[in-house]
Structure formats: structure tokens, C-alpha cells
């Protein structure tokens, strides 16, 4: 965390929240955003995902206040919220990511008393890079330190996911919170979202680079059809389970079963995506090990096609960006994250991104009246205390 971020955070706490007799020392924490290389919309279907943390972070300053009150300040929204009660706020939606963590922690019997918290960050919001999960995991980790919880990072991830599911109201899977909690620099994690077993893998393709294009179509998963997709996956799973009781998640099904299980046309398409994604994820992990960038790229294109046609979570703008890059002969491109807008991940030879982006930027803004953005990133560390 840079000195100026620390100073801004500390002075916000002291300027905005007046002293109390028993203020604790200020401690600093940060949590990253994430990309996902492959395994999209499978983390609530027991599938394999391959995400990594990126060097865009949300930074927090926190102290106990001895007041039994939560005094919260968002530097980016220049907005404060003070409450004794842990209730959902319609007016200050950003506060729910924090209060949701408090609510879940208390329901697990973990001690949470009054605290002051200020935060700021550079993870683009609504861009599919998990800015909200970064707040949840960052807050859960910070609370675990200031209130001395005995808890692992894996459990922090589950707590943060529960906050999103129960308090914020998005029925997300475990991928984002998990990678943000456990990530290491230079590594992706391969995570089995059913058993939560995971391992670290390098993302190293010499001569090639990954980068992100933000479509600038902002999505809120709460208002999108995200929760509906999850319901369809759940109903497809229970139909498959009726026919084959050993099949507990859709990722364990096969094509024969999904054809016989009496799925609706939509459920069937969702299932086709999930089964296809299982083999794409395995292929990508193997191809990365073999340093076969071409094969990785082909799987990215085919993942996008499936997200767009079978899972139906893309949109005109991200479809356009992916097709545009295909016509420029990049190795691969696909939408990432929840979808309905957000970012496209591109894999190409090193050195072409600026030229390609300036060309895309013009055509994109002529067609959609929107400003695309490019984000270069490196793979970063998960949640941490910044000394
Ligand atoms: C969002 C959710 C994740 C995951 C992705 C899609 O980022 O938070 O749990 O479902 O969408 O892969």
C-alpha cells in the first residue's frame, strides 16, 4: 500500500469519525480483484475453475472504536454510513458488503464489536473483476485480525460468500472469494468447487500476454439474470440426480444423462455449457503446462461461444469485442466473470495490444457510443495485512 493511500485512509478516519475514549490502533489491509482464465459459471455446479488475483486492489484502514457502532466511510463514493444495527441499506449499497460480513460472522458466533473502517480502491466496479468480493474478503480478514478470530483463509472465503448470498442477495459461487483469500503472486489456482481442493499453477506463456478489455457495459449481478441461471442449474441437477443418484452436481453428469433427464430446453443448454466447460478447463490447464498458447486461445474462444449461446450470459457488446479480436487473429478472447457486460480477456502475442486497442476503441465507440478501456495486469497476492 503506498504512503499516500495510507495517509488518505488514516486522515479520513480521524477527520470523519470523531475520537472516542477507547479507539484501537489503525491497521491496514488490502484485497485484490481477480481474473478467471477458464471455468466460467461452473463454480455453483461443482466444476473446475482457474482464477488468479490481479494487481488491482481495495485498501482498508480499520480500528476498534469501543462504541458498539459501525462507522464506515467509502473514499471513492465520499460517503459515510454509521449504524448500530446490522440491517440492509437501500441508500448506501456499498455498506452492505461490509454489514453482510458482520451479519454472517455473528451468526457463526464470531466476536464483532464496534469498529471504524475507511476504504478505497482501483478495482473497476461492475466490470466482472470482483470488486465486491474484494470488499467482503478484505473486511472478513481485517475483522478476523482485530477481533482475534481463529479462522483459516478458506473459511474466510466461505464467510464472505455467505455474506454475498444471504445479505447482498446474489447467489454467487465460491470462486471469487476463494481466490481473493488464498491467491499467491504469479500463480493461478485450480480449484475444485465441489471439494474445495486447490493447487497453485504458474501462468507463464513466454512471448504471449493476457490483457483485459472493459466493455464499459456495467452490470449488477443482483439485477441481472445471474440468480436465474443458478436456479436452472439447480433444477437440472436435481432432475439428473433423480435418474442417477450418484450424480450430486451437474459437473458430474454426462451427455447421455442430460439427454435422458427430462430437462427443459434452457436447462439442457446450461448443462451443455457446464459439461463442455469441464473439458475446456482440463485442456487449458494441460496446454498451459505444455506452453501451448494456441490451444489455450482456441479454448477461450470456444468458452465464449458457449457462454453466449448455451449459458446466455454475454451481451451484444462483449460478443462484438470477442469477434473483433478473432478477426484480428489474436489467439483467444472471451468474456469473464458473471457476464451481462464487464470485461473480455484477450490472449495474444506480446506487443500488439496498444495498436489493436486504439483500432478497436474507435470502432467500438462508433458502434455502441461507449468507451472501451484496456487493463494490463499482473498476477498478484491475495488478501493481506499491509504493514
Ligand atoms: C461471478 C460470481 C462467481 C462465478 C462467476 C461466473 O463472478 O461471483 O461466483 O459464478 O460470476 O463464473
Amino acid at each position: 500500500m503506498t504512503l499516500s493511500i495510507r495517509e488518505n485512509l488514516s486522515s479520513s478516519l480521524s477527520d470523519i469519525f470523531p475520537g472516542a475514549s477507547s479507539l484501537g490502533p489503525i491497521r491496514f489491509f488490502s484485497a485484490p480483484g481477480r481474473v478467471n482464465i477458464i471455468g466460467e459459471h461452473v463454480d455453483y455446479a461443482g466444476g473446475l475453475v482457474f482464477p488468479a488475483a490481479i494487481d488491482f486492489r481495495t485498501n482498508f484502514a480499520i480500528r476498534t472504536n469501543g462504541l458498539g457502532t459501525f462507522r464506515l466511510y467509502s473514499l471513492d463514493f465520499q460517503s459515510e454510513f454509521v449504524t448500530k444495527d446490522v440491517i440492509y441499506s437501500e441508500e448506501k449499497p456499498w455498506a452492505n458488503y461490509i454489514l453482510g460480513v458482520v451479519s454472517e460472522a455473528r451468526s457463526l458466533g464470531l466476536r464483532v464489536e464496534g469498529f471504524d473502517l475507511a476504504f478505497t480502491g482501483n478495482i473497476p466496479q461492475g466490470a466482472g473483476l470482483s470488486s465486491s468480493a474484494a470488499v467482503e474478503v478484505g473486511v472478513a480478514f481485517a475483522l478476523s485480525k482485530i477481533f482475534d478470530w481463529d479462522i483459516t483463509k478458506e473459511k474466510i472465503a466461505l464467510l464472505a460468500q455467505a455474506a454475498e448470498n444471504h445479505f447482498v442477495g446474489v447467489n454467487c459461487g465460491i470462486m471469487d472469494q476463494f481466490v481473493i483469500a488464498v491467491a499467491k503472486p504469479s500463480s493461478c489456482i485450480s480449484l475444485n468447487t465441489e471439494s474445495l481442493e486447490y493447487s497453485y499453477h504458474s501462468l507463464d506463456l513466454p512471448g504471449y500476454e493476457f490483457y483485459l478489455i472493459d466493455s464499459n457495459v456495467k452490470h449488477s449481478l443482483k439485477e441481472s439474470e445471474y440468480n436465474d441461471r443458478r436456479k436452472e442449474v439447480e433444477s437440472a441437477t436435481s432432475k439428473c440426480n433423480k435418474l442417477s443418484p450418484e450424480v450430486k452436481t451437474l459437473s458430474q453428469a454426462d451427455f447421455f444423462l442430460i439427454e435422458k433427464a427430462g430437462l427443459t430446453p434452457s436447462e439442457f443448454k446450461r448443462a451443455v455449457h457446464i459439461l463442455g466447460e469441464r473439458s475446456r478447463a482440463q485442456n487449458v490447464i494441460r496446454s498451459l503446462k505444455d506452453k501451448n498458447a494456441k490451444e489455450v486461445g482456441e479454448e477461450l474462444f470456444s468458452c465464449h461461444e458457449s457462454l453466449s449461446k448455451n449459458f446466455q450470459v454475454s451481451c451484444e457488446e462483449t460478443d462484438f469485442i470477442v469477434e473483433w479480436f478473432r478477426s484480428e487473429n489474436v489467439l483467444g478472447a472471451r468474456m469473464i466473470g458473471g457476464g451481462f457486460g464487464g470485461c473480455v480477456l484477450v490472449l495474444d502475442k506480446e506487443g500488439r495490444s496498444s495498436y489493436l486497442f486504439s483500432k478497436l476503441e474507435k470502432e467500438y465507440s462508433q458502434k455502441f457510443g461507449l468507451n472501451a478501456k484496456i487493463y494490463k495486469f499482473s498476477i498478484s497476492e491475495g488478501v493481506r495485512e499491509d504493514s
Side-chain angles (χ1 to χ4, degrees):
M1 190 183 296
T2 65
L3 200 60
S4 67
I5 295 179
R6 282 172 82 98
E7 278 165 5
N8 277 344
L9 287 169
S10 312
S11 54
S12 301
L13 281 189
S14 37
D15 295 351
I16 296 177
F17 301 128
S21 52
S22 53
L23 291 179
I26 298 181
R27 290 171 73 172
F28 299 93
F29 297 88
S30 65
R34 66 99 190 85
V35 288
N36 183 25
I37 305 300
I38 195 75
E40 211 66 271
H41 276 280
V42 297
D43 66 336
Y44 45 87
L48 177 65
V49 296
F50 200 67
I54 54 175
D55 56 342
F56 289 76
R57 298 186 86 82
T58 299
N59 303 287
F60 307 85
I62 189 166
R63 67 182 172 205
T64 54
N65 64 18
L67 297 170
T69 303
F70 309 111
R71 304 194 297 182
L72 316 174
Y73 184 66
S74 159
L75 271 76
D76 301 327
F77 292 115
Q78 299 200 352
S79 170
E80 66 183 271
F81 189 69
V82 176
T83 182
K84 262 191 185 330
D85 304 317
V86 184
I87 40 173
Y88 188 88
S89 168
E90 294 289 347
E91 297 80 49
K92 310 257 165 127
W94 58 265
N96 295 322
Y97 300 106
I98 302 160
L99 296 173
V101 171
V102 174
S103 160
E104 278 307 318
R106 285 189 167 165
S107 73
L108 292 173
L110 297 165
R111 180 171 71 97
V112 185
E113 288 162 15
F115 62 86
D116 296 341
L117 175 93
F119 69 109
T120 181
N122 65 355
I123 308 172
Q125 289 173 17
L129 302 179
S130 290
S131 57
S132 42
V135 175
E136 290 153 353
V137 175
V139 169
F141 186 69
L143 294 181
S144 78
K145 296 294 173 193
I146 67 170
F147 294 116
D148 294 321
W149 304 344
D150 180 17
I151 192 169
T152 61
K153 283 194 170 163
E154 290 80 358
K155 290 263 161 57
I156 296 247
L158 289 165
L159 192 163
Q161 180 201 16
E164 177 85 30
N165 293 167
H166 303 148
F167 201 85
V168 177
V170 177
N171 228 346
C172 67
I174 187 60
M175 169 172 77
D176 303 347
Q177 289 83 1
F178 205 93
V179 67
I180 291 169
V182 307
K184 283 188 187 163
S186 316
S187 303
C188 285
I189 65 165
S190 119
L191 170 68
N192 174 328
T193 59
E194 194 199 346
S195 64
L196 296 188
E197 279 163 15
Y198 65 101
S199 50
Y200 294 95
H201 303 256
S202 77
L203 183 67
D204 183 26
L205 286 174
Y208 298 91
E209 63 177 339
F210 286 99
Y211 57 90
L212 294 160
I213 301 293
D214 188 345
S215 66
N216 214 352
V217 176
K218 296 288 170 206
H219 73 284
S220 143
L221 290 186
K222 195 167 180 195
E223 282 135 32
S224 73
E225 295 164 55
Y226 185 95
N227 287 348
D228 299 340
R229 293 294 179 281
R230 184 159 180 173
K231 276 192 204 130
E232 286 168 328
V233 166
E234 278 161 6
S235 60
T237 310
S238 77
K239 287 180 184 172
C240 289
N241 175 267
K242 257 193 202 124
L243 216 59
S244 283
E246 73 284 2
V247 170
K248 304 268 188 271
T249 69
L250 212 43
S251 298
Q252 295 168 340
D254 57 28
F255 282 98
F256 179 77
L257 180 61
I258 65 169
E259 264 164 19
K260 296 276 167 263
L263 306 184
T264 64
S266 300
E267 287 166 353
F268 184 75
K269 285 205 268 185
R270 312 306 180 230
V272 167
H273 169 74
I274 284 166
L275 298 193
E277 200 65 356
R278 183 176 62 197
S279 50
R280 285 187 288 272
Q282 286 160 354
N283 289 345
V284 165
I285 294 172
R286 197 190 43 245
S287 306
L288 278 168
K289 224 179 185 172
D290 299 345
K291 310 262 178 256
N292 188 337
K294 190 165 167 278
E295 254 179 58
V296 174
E298 277 161 15
E299 295 291 13
L300 297 190
F301 277 132
S302 106
C303 170
H304 184 82
E305 197 170 322
S306 179
L307 286 166
S308 179
K309 305 224 163 78
N310 295 324
F311 220 73
Q312 297 178 294
V313 288
S314 186
C315 62
E316 211 190 331
E317 292 85 349
T318 43
D319 283 347
F320 173 86
I321 295 172
V322 170
E323 285 316 309
W324 188 91
F325 276 103
R326 194 200 290 273
S327 71
E328 291 289 341
N329 298 314
V330 304
L331 273 83
R334 71 171 191 87
M335 56 145 276
I336 62 161
F340 309 102
C343 280
V344 168
L345 177 73
V346 181
L347 170 63
D348 195 17
K349 292 194 194 88
E350 260 169 17
R352 297 211 306 158
S353 59
S354 308
Y355 156 76
L356 285 181
F357 178 67
S358 61
K359 218 168 134 190
L360 167 76
E361 200 184 9
K362 284 191 207 93
E363 288 182 38
Y364 186 72
S365 109
Q366 268 162 17
K367 188 164 168 69
F368 295 107
L370 287 166
N371 294 322
K373 289 186 200 139
I374 181 166
Y375 306 132
K376 298 288 195 87
F377 63 88
S378 46
I379 306 276
S380 177
E381 190 183 348
V383 69
R384 65 176 182 227
E385 179 155 15
D386 292 292
S387 49

